Amino acid sequence: MAAMTATPLAAAAIAQLEAEGVDTVIGTTVNPAGLTQAKTVPIRRTNMFADPGLGASPSWHAFAIDQSGIAFTDDVGVVGDQRLRIDLSSLRIVGDGLAWAPAAFFEQDGTPVPVCSRGTLGRIEAALNDAGIEAAIGHEIEFVLVDPDGGRLPAALWAQYGLVGVLEHEAFVRDVHAAATAAGVGVEQFHPEYGANQFEISLSPLAPVAAADQLALARLIIGRAARRHGLRVSLSPVPFAGSVGSGAHQHFSLSTPEGPLFTDGTGVAGMTPAGESAVAGVVNGLLEAQGIMCGSIVSGLRMRPGNWAGAYACWGTENREAAVRFVKGGPGNPRGGNVEVKVIDPSANPYLASATILGLALDGIKRQALVPSETTIDPANLSDSDRDGAGIVRLREAQFEAITALDNSTLLRSILGDPVVDMVVAVRRMEHERYGDLGPEQLADKFRMAWSL
């Protein structure tokens, strides 16, 4: 790929930002362990942040979730220097003197760094476009409010999806809505969830890279709002042992110049033949992709039947226990049919999870893969022989098995590239080697705030 050159902000644009009170620009990226990393500059150095960028060690990709580990590989070590560059076209004002932009990694000569998650998703989005396919992704954010030290908040009045959750945290909810609106983040709904002090936000669908950027900004907004109210946000897949946990589901839709692939088709559930093949690609690739979508040391605590986490590799229309849930188009879904991938959790890098979903879908379309039979009931209620006959496989709770499957996956390496797969495997294997002997409560307690902002 050619070297990147950013179009600088004009002096008048910088002056306008200053007039609106902006004095600091923050750029964020997400590494293979799912950690959000950042650098800041004073407003007058915004263009330098975009091109040539700020220096960053390759070790940024190798930092682990335990605040001390660095999972060096043959390609990522102490030698070398890369440039972290913000995308000025995505700059947003987030209030209190702060502006934000998503960042990506480049070599010093401007060529993209292969392990960069934003760059990887951009490459997959371009591959879809080259195939005449337009994708949109809508992210969901599930999180648990905790006290500043990560402890439980009172929940005597809590009820699943109850109004009391909104009223108990009314100021926080309104603060998030106001900040999201001001920053241009599309919030479609924000409501209490199943767990105590757990909430979910659904974001408006956008093109893949823009959607992942919006998710990164929304997490920043939620974290800042919680801090203003003396709270913190846990983005752990399982903040407290024994809970249902939190997901980070992604909905995706695909269309061509001839129309959408998941609506008004002649196939099952109204899909077109290409839409069926896209679903087949995702379902068939789940076992190998689990290490990307839900591969952390905590993820297995959530990946169990009954948690609406999609513990079985199958698909079904509005089936919340299937790993891939199909949502039909119609009056209730005016944007048309879409597909929800339920196995993704907040420990995943959202850019890489999107790249994996879309890469698997594109692979299925190219191979004209046949969609498996639809699962119309909770797969846990099927007998072992019925599941075997339908090809329904239980996804892994054991992290080591999920990471080994990813490491050995020729398919995922062809989609994401060896540098990405090798780096994800490295950080997750470090987690397993250091903490694989801990019990559920110890894991939940240790990593409750690992992905928090």
Side-chain angles (χ1 to χ4, degrees), residues 380-433:
N381 292 335
L382 294 171
S383 66
D384 291 342
S385 60
D386 285 342
R387 283 195 295 268
D388 291 343
I392 299 173
V393 180
R394 171 83 180 270
L395 294 175
R396 301 174 176 92
E397 290 183 30
Q399 184 192 32
F400 180 78
E401 295 177 3
I403 296 308
T404 299
L406 173 64
D407 193 17
N408 294 334
S409 175
T410 301
L411 175 58
L412 268 296
R413 288 182 177 278
S414 70
I415 291 171
L416 300 175
D418 288 332
V420 167
V421 172
D422 288 343
M423 199 67 256
V424 172
V425 168
V427 294
R428 297 310 189 197
R429 275 190 174 150
M430 175 173 280
E431 296 170 15
H432 176 76
E433 290 166 359

